[in-house]
Amino acid sequence: MSQRTALVTGGTGGIGTAIVRYLSRQGHRVATNYRDAARAEEWRKRMAAEGIEVCLVPGDVADPASAEAMVRAVEAKCGPVEILVNNAGITRDTTFHKMTYQQWTDVVNTNLNACFNVTRPVIEGMRARKWGRIVQISSINGQKGQYGQANYAAAKAGMHGFTISLAQENARFGITVNTVSPGYVATDMVMAVPEEVREKIVAQIPVGRLGKPEEIAHAVAFFTTDEASWITGANLAINGGHYMGW
Ligand code: CAA
């Protein structure tokens, strides 16, 4: 299998860490960004203890200038970005009638506008080299909506609109663009949902449990292979059967 340079945004988080680990173990050079240097250093040490060396660069995906600087730093350290996983994401859950403009824009900037901010600086290089893999990490809640997540569901649904447009524009340049839509996975983000609410949600999952981060990473890695070159514009739902819309 070809070894590539991969940038996974938000790679120090729950699903992000699993994606970084999976791609690294496949032999790719993997980079990610951080905003908190001390926390990132702790994380780097834990990964190094597993034998995984990650190219860590500072960068805020919600800020266009910072995101571009982040991409250029990755290129300088590890070479051109050939695989991009737009994974960084946050929640600011509250019912819409109580939602502030800040809660709306924070979520839209970090989850959706980040796709512009990070992908724009890498796309021209991918087109010139005639090879690229871009994967958006969306959410089940972008597909079905969720009480308390008008901001998040709007941003996550928007990510797939981004995917299917980019897929069309770049198909002839050897670039595939796909979405993975995880359901409720055992990460800090999901564990922050109040326990009684979370228990009711888990009861709706036919498989009967939360997902594991590595179950998401496995699908992301699949989309990044050479063999997946005819899969573009797809949305792969991985949610234990929680939502089966097609
Ligand atoms: N459908 C209908 N009614 C619901 C409901 C639902 N799904 N969820 C809550 N309600 C009702 C409650 O029963 C309650 O009704 P009563 O007042 O009649 O008892 C009422 O709504 C509570 O409304 P409030 O506005 O007062 O709610 P709150 O401020 O207490 O909390 C909330 C609202 C923050 C949205 C909370 O319910 C919550 O955290 N929900 C979970 C949201 C969620 O799933 N987030 C996912 C985070 S993980 C993630 O995002 C990763 C991913 O991609 C999957």
Side-chain angles (χ1 to χ4, degrees), residues 102-238:
Q102 195 67 46
Q103 288 170 321
W104 173 267
T105 48
D106 282 353
V107 168
V108 171
N109 282 338
T110 301
N111 296 18
L112 178 59
N113 290 342
C115 291
F116 174 85
N117 298 339
V118 181
T119 311
R120 185 66 186 82
V122 308
I123 195 73
E124 288 176 71
M126 285 183 178
R127 286 166 68 98
R129 292 185 301 274
K130 301 243 180 318
W131 198 93
R133 294 284 181 269
I134 301 173
V135 181
Q136 267 65 252
I137 306 300
S138 179
S139 166
I140 183 176
N141 293 341
Q143 298 179 282
K144 72 166 187 55
Q146 170 62 33
Y147 194 104
Q149 287 201 308
N151 48 2
Y152 186 85
K156 290 297 190 181
M159 289 174 81
H160 190 57
F162 175 72
T163 288
I164 55 186
S165 301
L166 235 62
Q168 292 177 32
E169 292 179 13
N170 294 287
R172 280 173 299 150
F173 294 86
I175 302 168
T176 69
V177 191
N178 292 289
T179 299
V180 170
S181 291
Y184 284 74
V185 176
T187 60
D188 290 346
M189 184 184 274
V190 166
M191 298 325 262
V193 173
E195 194 178 349
E196 66 282 6
V197 177
R198 204 173 60 238
E199 277 171 5
K200 283 187 195 146
I201 291 170
V202 174
Q204 296 163 18
I205 303 175
V207 172
R209 62 168 173 85
L210 294 173
K212 300 175 190 165
E214 50 274 25
E215 290 171 321
I216 308 304
H218 178 69
V220 173
F222 164 72
F223 278 130
T224 67
T225 57
D226 283 324
E227 292 77 5
S229 61
W230 213 50
I231 307 175
T232 195
N235 179 28
L236 181 55
I238 310 177

Side-chain angles (χ1 to χ4, degrees), residues 2 33 101 205:
S2 313
N33 66 302
Y101 182 68
I205 303 175

Side-chain angles (χ1 to χ4, degrees), residues 76-97:
K77 281 187 169 183
C78 318
V81 176
E82 298 164 290
I83 297 170
L84 170 62
V85 185
N86 282 311
N87 165 75
I90 58 166
T91 54
R92 295 286 181 270
D93 293 356
T94 182
T95 43
F96 183 69
H97 62 276

